[in-house]
């Protein structure tokens, strides 16, 4: 029996346990103490933690009255770590706490749990017939027991709620169920009527958490339990069923086709700057043998960790709460906190700009966006890179930005959605026709002798890592023909903004060209790097020593024959040509339809799913005031005075709405998605942000 482990350990077991828990000392902790202080929320958890702590001097146990108090204690440095459910991870990641997940619980085959609705066999009601029933929930604000089921009822209009201005969400839920046990709810309400103890959001309440909610159903207190799919014990599965959203019932083991949603696994969180020991993952077998993943003998389940945990998996360093949870899950949390606002007069969006030049244009847009009531319709936020802006959009620090197809792919992996697309053909702006596209091409100097077949060892110019025409398409083609993943070894020197500044992928980059700061911004993926973007990539070919520039088909025409900035004023389009895959002879730059690397999707505006409607509405309004068709507008959305392609492509004629039902994969198209999926076989081509968004998470 696991409960006897601590009372009758063998000397060898003492060594195993101490060897593991001793590793906790490797982590930097509070200055006055070398112990890692784990935060607990119940007496049962405290007893288990104290048992673990008796084997070593390196673990300390700190009890607080609830998860919120633990989050605050970790932020204040009074505790160091706690394992949290998705709803609490969201709260811990907010600015006032800024905690972040460092290890995720791994449950084996189903590392991403499912939220399910469990009922006893023999009952006859359907999912659509739950009004008036008695409900058992894991806890207020918890994923499987509250966020997912209540969000599902709201989205299906089974629970009527117009938002917090109408009434508290708890009141709306009380009006739906006849009685409930929702640990953590207001004790004097019907939401605590079925609870067996004090209705606290801790193991002091017998019906708390997944095991407690199931016990609430098992005891006959409730008609339905909202839990995660691993909750029902194997020996009891034949006595229970799952309610499916299509009004059918299925066995407990059919959760993959009968569930409410997938939810994030629980994760260990800590404050920024505190490093928990890596041996949590390196010596998982020892941790498991020490009993950390069992609550047997403590009169409660899932203490400190979920009992179904097989091991802990270390998360990428870039991970934060919102990357871990995903845009869809965080949208669900927010919808339960505020509801849908019906006040359209206060609607505005926060646009994310990258670099000084874009921020300056955005600020000008913001000033001009003020309406007759003095309300600004566009506010500006800025980031050091597109990836940072995508992160800010996920955190709701920004709402939208227009990005390249490769970046749309990354944003989509992070749960954002494409809302509007740039249209480059003016005649199609009023027809509601298919979205624009463009060609990715490879440009060389005329007569240089450079061909597709002799590119190895040449010097290359790219608009940025992860961009469509400048990186994804040409690198996918090269990877397909050579099997090469390390492109720093394929080209002798390059400028690929966003790469390691010390690598030869940044050797040709110039920086800002202005004083000491120039070197600090060299190879940054923003307009501060002179060779960033399509015009910058072409400039790298012209004056930076490049042999080939990977750009879009219109780039040469936009920067030659009297067009473009000062550095391009004397260039002639006839001095450049395109090289074609397959080894055919170079062709004039005007022959891009015949000689190109691929036809690719236009740039698109991305946003969070719940913000799509506001973003589309505001942008339609703004282009009606500042679009290309408005002759005397004081501001032009699709023109750039102090740079090229700032905020939007300068060749944009209008923005067209993308249907709300279209996913980012459908927008990009099968061919482009296949190219991106293929290129992602090279781990070096997966951005850190995308790695974090897709690392063992469940969006």
């Amino acid at each position: 029996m696991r409960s006897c482990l601590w009372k009758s350990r063998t000397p060898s077991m003492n060594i195993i346990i101490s060897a593991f828990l001793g590793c906790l000392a490797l982590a930097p902790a509070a200055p006055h103490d070398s112990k890692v202080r784990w935060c607990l929320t119940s007496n049962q958890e405290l007893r288990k933690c104290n048992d673990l702590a008796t084997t070593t001097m390196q673990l300390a146990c700190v009890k607080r009255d609830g998860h919120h108090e633990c989050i605050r204690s970790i932020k204040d440095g009074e505790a160091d770590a706690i394992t949290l459910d998705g709803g609490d991870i969201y709260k811990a990641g907010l600015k006032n706490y800024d905690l972040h997940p460092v290890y995720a619980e791994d449950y084996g085959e189903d590392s991403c749990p499912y939220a399910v609705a469990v009922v006893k066999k023999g009952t006859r009601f359907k999912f659509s017939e739950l009004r008036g029933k008695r409900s058992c929930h894991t806890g207020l604000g918890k994923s499987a027991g509250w966020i997912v089921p209540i969000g599902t009822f709201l989205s299906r209009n089974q629970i009527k709620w117009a938002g917090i201005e109408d009434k508290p969400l708890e009141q709306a839920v009380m009006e739906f169920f006849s009685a409930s046990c929702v640990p953590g709810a207001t004790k004097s309400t019907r939401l605590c009527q079925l609870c067996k103890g004090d209705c606290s959001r801790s193991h002091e309440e017998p019906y708390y958490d997944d095991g407690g909610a199931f016990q609430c159903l098992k005891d006959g207190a409730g008609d339905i339990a909202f839990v995660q799919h691993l909750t029902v014990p194997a020996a009891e599965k034949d006595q229970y069923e799952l309610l499916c959203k299509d009004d059918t019932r299925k066995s407990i083991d059919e959760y993959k086709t009968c569930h409410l949603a997938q939810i994030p696994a629980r994760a260990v969180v800590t404050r920024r700057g505190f490093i928990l020991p890596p041996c949590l993952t390196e010596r998982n077998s020892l941790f498991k043998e020490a009993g950390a993943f069992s609550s047997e003998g403590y009169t409660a389940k899932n203490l400190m960790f979920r009992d179904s945990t097989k091991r802990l998996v270390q998360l990428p360093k870039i991970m934060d709460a919102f990357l871990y949870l995903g845009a869809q899950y965080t949208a669900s949390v927010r919808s339960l906190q505020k509801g849908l606002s019906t006040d359209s007069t206060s609607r505005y969006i926060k646009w994310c700009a990258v670099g000084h030049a874009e921020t300056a244009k955005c600020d000008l847009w913001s000033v001009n966006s003020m309406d007759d009531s003095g309300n600004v319709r566009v506010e500006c936020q800025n980031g050091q890179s597109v990836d940072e802006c995508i992160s800010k959009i996920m955190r709701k620090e920004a709402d939208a930005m227009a990005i390249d197809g490769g970046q749309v792919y990354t944003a989509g992996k992070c749960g954002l959605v494409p809302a509007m697309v740039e249209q480059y053909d003016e005649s199609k702006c009023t027809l509601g026709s298919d979205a624009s596209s463009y060609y990715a091409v490879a440009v060389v100097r005329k007569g240089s002798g450079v061909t597709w077949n002799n590119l190895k060892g040449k010097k290359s110019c790219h608009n940025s890592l992860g961009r469509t025409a400048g990186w994804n398409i040409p690198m996918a083609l090269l990877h397909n023909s050579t099997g090469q993943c390390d492109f720093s070894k394929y080209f002798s020197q390059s400028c690929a903004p966003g790469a390691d500044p010390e690598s030869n992928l940044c050797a040709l980059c110039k920086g800002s060209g202005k004083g000491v700061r120039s070197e600090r911004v060299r190879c940054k993926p923003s307009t501060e790097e002179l060779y960033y973007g399509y015009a910058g990539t072409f400039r790298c070919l012209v004056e930076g020593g490049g042999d080939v520039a990977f750009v879009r088909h219109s780039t040469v025409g936009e920067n030659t024959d009297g067009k473009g900035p000062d550095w391009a004023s004397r260039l002639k389009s006839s001095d450049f040509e395109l090289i074609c895959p397959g080894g055919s002879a170079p062709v004039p730059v005007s022959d891009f339809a015949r000689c190109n690397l691929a036809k690719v999707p236009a740039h698109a505006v991305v946003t969070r799913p719940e913000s799509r409607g506001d973003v589309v509405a505001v942008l339609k309004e703004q282009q009606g005031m500042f679009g290309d068709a408005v002759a005397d507008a004081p501001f032009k959305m699709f023109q750039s005075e102090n740079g090229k392609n700032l905020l939007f492509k300068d060749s944009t004629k209008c923005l067209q709405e993308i249907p709300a039902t279209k996913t980012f994969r459908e927008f990009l198209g099968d061919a482009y998605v296949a190219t991106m999926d293929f290129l992602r076989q090279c781990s070096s081509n997966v951005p850190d942000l995308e790695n974090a968004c897709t690392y063992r998470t469940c969006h």
Side-chain angles (χ1 to χ4, degrees):
M1 289 289 290
R2 178 69 69 183
S3 59
C4 301
L5 176 63
W6 310 109
K7 298 176 182 177
S8 57
R9 295 185 298 269
T10 65
S12 60
M13 184 58 74
N14 274 325
I15 293 172
I16 290 174
I17 295 170
S18 296
F20 172 75
L21 291 174
C23 81
L24 293 173
L26 299 177
H32 65 280
D33 201 341
S34 62
K35 297 181 179 181
V36 175
R37 298 161 297 176
W38 212 272
C39 200
L40 303 316
T41 62
S42 69
N43 290 328
Q44 294 96 322
E45 279 198 328
L46 180 62
R47 186 156 63 91
K48 177 178 176 179
C49 181
N50 283 333
D51 281 344
L52 290 170
T54 59
T55 67
T56 177
M57 297 298 292
Q58 311 308 325
L59 178 67
C61 308
V62 177
K63 183 177 180 292
R64 294 291 183 264
D65 289 337
H67 294 89
H68 181 77
E69 287 72 20
C70 275
I71 290 169
R72 183 181 298 157
S73 292
I74 294 171
K75 181 248 184 185
D76 292 340
E78 298 169 356
D80 300 318
I82 187 174
T83 310
L84 295 177
D85 172 87
D88 292 316
I89 293 172
Y90 173 88
K91 182 185 295 182
L94 295 174
K95 268 188 174 181
N96 45 334
Y97 301 114
D98 196 29
L99 306 188
H100 63 123
V102 289
Y103 292 97
E105 293 181 340
D106 185 346
Y107 312 118
E109 181 182 350
D110 297 317
S111 58
C112 296
Y114 293 81
V116 295
V118 179
V119 296
K120 289 183 177 179
K121 273 189 177 178
T123 53
R124 298 185 177 275
F125 54 86
K126 304 172 183 176
F127 192 83
S128 62
E129 299 171 341
L130 289 177
R131 177 175 290 278
K133 296 294 185 291
R134 299 168 301 159
S135 60
C136 305
H137 306 256
T138 59
L140 188 71
K142 290 177 76 72
S143 298
W146 184 261
I147 292 170
V148 169
I150 302 307
T152 301
F153 292 131
L154 291 172
S155 67
R156 294 163 63 96
N157 209 30
Q158 287 177 258
I159 292 181
K160 312 289 185 182
W161 188 54
I164 54 176
E165 297 86 359
D166 173 37
K167 56 189 169 187
L169 177 58
E170 291 183 39
Q171 179 65 39
V173 176
M174 280 192 287
E175 293 170 1
F176 183 73
F177 294 113
S178 61
S180 304
C181 178
V182 185
T186 305
K187 295 180 181 179
S188 60
T189 68
R190 287 209 309 271
L191 294 184
C192 286
Q193 184 176 328
L194 301 182
C195 291
K196 197 172 184 178
D198 61 0
C199 196
S200 65
R201 199 170 175 271
S202 81
H203 293 97
E204 307 298 336
E205 165 55 58
Y207 289 165
Y208 168 70
D209 207 14
D210 293 286
F214 175 67
Q215 191 66 44
C216 168
L217 172 67
K218 184 177 179 178
D219 290 347
D223 302 309
I224 185 169
F226 298 104
V227 294
Q228 68 117 309
H229 76 279
L230 296 169
T231 302
V232 182
E236 301 178 49
K237 286 181 179 180
D238 60 347
Q239 302 172 44
Y240 298 90
E241 291 179 313
L242 301 178
L243 280 193
C244 312
K245 290 187 287 186
D246 64 0
D247 275 350
T248 62
R249 290 188 176 211
K250 291 189 176 180
S251 72
I252 297 297
D253 288 330
E254 293 181 278
Y255 54 85
K256 288 187 178 180
T257 56
C258 180
H259 58 264
L260 307 185
Q262 275 194 292
I263 57 177
R266 299 204 317 176
V268 177
V269 303
T270 186
R271 60 189 171 278
R272 291 192 181 277
F274 187 92
I275 304 172
L276 287 171
C279 48
L280 281 173
T281 52
E282 291 171 2
R283 303 180 185 178
N284 257 289
S285 61
L286 299 184
F287 202 21
K288 186 174 181 179
E289 288 182 53
F293 303 148
S294 173
S295 303
E296 205 173 321
Y298 294 101
T299 69
K301 296 182 178 181
N302 304 320
L303 300 175
M304 295 181 65
F305 302 96
R306 190 172 292 283
D307 295 341
S308 53
T309 302
K310 305 298 182 186
R311 63 182 184 132
L312 297 177
V313 179
Q314 189 168 12
L315 300 171
K317 290 181 180 179
I318 192 178
M319 189 72 77
D320 65 19
F322 302 98
L323 295 178
Y324 182 75
L325 297 173
Q328 198 69 49
Y329 183 89
T330 55
S332 299
V333 176
R334 292 184 186 120
S335 70
L336 297 192
Q337 292 176 339
K338 296 184 177 180
L340 299 176
S341 174
T342 57
D343 183 9
S344 61
T345 61
S346 64
R347 185 180 61 221
Y348 71 96
I349 61 173
K350 290 176 284 186
W351 197 266
C352 200
V354 178
H356 175 75
E358 282 204 343
T359 301
K361 178 179 177 180
C362 188
D363 288 340
L364 186 60
W365 183 10
S366 181
V367 169
N368 282 279
S369 74
M370 188 177 296
D371 62 22
D372 294 338
S373 301
N375 297 314
V376 171
R377 309 292 272 171
V378 177
E379 287 189 358
C380 299
Q381 177 65 264
N382 70 303
Q384 295 299 309
S385 66
V386 170
D387 281 3
E388 184 178 327
C389 275
I390 291 173
S391 294
K392 289 192 173 193
I393 293 171
M394 293 179 68
R395 295 187 191 98
K396 212 175 181 181
E397 295 172 13
D399 295 317
M401 71 183 306
I403 53 179
D404 161 275
Q407 295 157 338
V408 171
Y409 181 90
T410 295
K413 289 279 191 174
C414 291
L416 303 187
V417 296
M420 301 193 83
V421 60
E422 294 178 347
Q423 175 58 258
Y424 310 123
D425 185 340
E426 189 173 2
S427 67
K428 296 181 178 179
C429 282
T430 57
L431 300 178
S433 53
D434 291 340
S436 275
S437 58
Y438 61 93
Y439 294 95
V441 297
V443 179
V444 298
R445 295 181 189 83
K446 190 172 183 178
S448 66
V450 177
T451 70
W452 188 263
N453 291 338
N454 66 12
L455 280 179
K456 187 172 177 62
K458 297 295 190 292
K459 298 177 181 179
S460 62
C461 302
H462 312 259
N463 57 354
S464 179
L465 286 187
R467 295 286 291 269
T468 299
W471 186 264
N472 297 334
I473 296 300
M475 297 304 103
L477 289 172
L478 292 176
H479 175 55
N480 186 43
S481 61
T482 67
Q484 181 91 34
C485 275
D486 187 355
F487 299 113
S488 66
K489 295 179 180 177
Y490 187 85
F491 296 107
S492 61
Q493 289 184 315
S494 304
C495 179
D500 179 358
E502 301 303 316
S503 75
N504 68 344
L505 286 176
C506 289
L508 298 183
C509 291
K510 191 170 185 178
S512 67
K514 298 177 181 177
V516 177
R517 180 170 172 76
S518 179
E519 184 60 25
R520 291 205 304 267
V521 300
R522 188 177 67 85
C523 208
K524 281 187 63 175
S526 78
T527 52
E528 292 179 284
E529 164 58 58
L530 290 179
Y531 294 164
Y532 171 77
Y534 290 120
T537 307
F538 183 50
R539 187 174 184 178
C540 168
L541 173 70
V542 170
E543 63 180 35
D547 297 311
V548 60
F550 299 107
V551 293
R552 57 181 285 153
H553 71 272
S554 59
T555 301
V556 176
E558 292 167 352
N559 293 278
T560 56
D561 302 329
K563 300 176 185 176
D566 291 343
W567 63 265
S569 59
R570 297 184 180 181
L571 299 177
K572 296 180 180 180
S573 59
S574 58
D575 291 335
F576 301 91
E577 54 192 6
L578 306 180
I579 58 173
C580 322
S584 59
V587 302
V589 294
S590 58
D591 206 2
F592 54 81
R594 182 169 62 89
C595 177
N596 61 74
L597 310 186
K599 190 175 183 180
V600 296
H603 291 201
V605 175
V606 296
T607 185
R608 297 178 303 280
E610 77 272 21
S611 300
R612 182 193 172 280
D614 280 353
V615 168
V616 170
V618 170
L619 287 178
K620 284 183 175 180
E621 170 197 87
Q622 292 296 296
Q623 74 173 352
M625 299 166 60
F626 308 121
D628 258 28
V630 185
D632 300 323
F635 169 77
K636 290 288 188 179
M637 286 175 64
F638 310 132
Q639 292 180 17
S640 305
E641 292 185 2
N642 297 310
K644 295 283 288 184
N645 305 315
L646 303 177
L647 305 183
F648 303 97
K649 293 293 298 176
D650 293 344
S651 53
T652 303
K653 302 304 178 184
C654 67
L655 298 175
Q656 293 178 310
E657 182 177 357
I658 299 169
T661 55
K662 184 169 282 192
T663 67
F664 80 94
R665 287 181 173 272
E666 291 170 333
F667 166 73
L668 293 173
D670 292 341
Y672 187 74
V673 168
T675 297
M676 292 298 295
D677 290 344
F678 176 72
L679 191 58
R680 290 307 191 251
Q681 294 176 16
C682 293
S683 59
S684 60
N685 282 300
V686 184
D688 289 343
L689 174 66
E690 192 176 314
N691 255 330
C693 287
T694 57
Y695 191 86
R696 305 190 68 82
T697 52
C698 315
H699 314 157

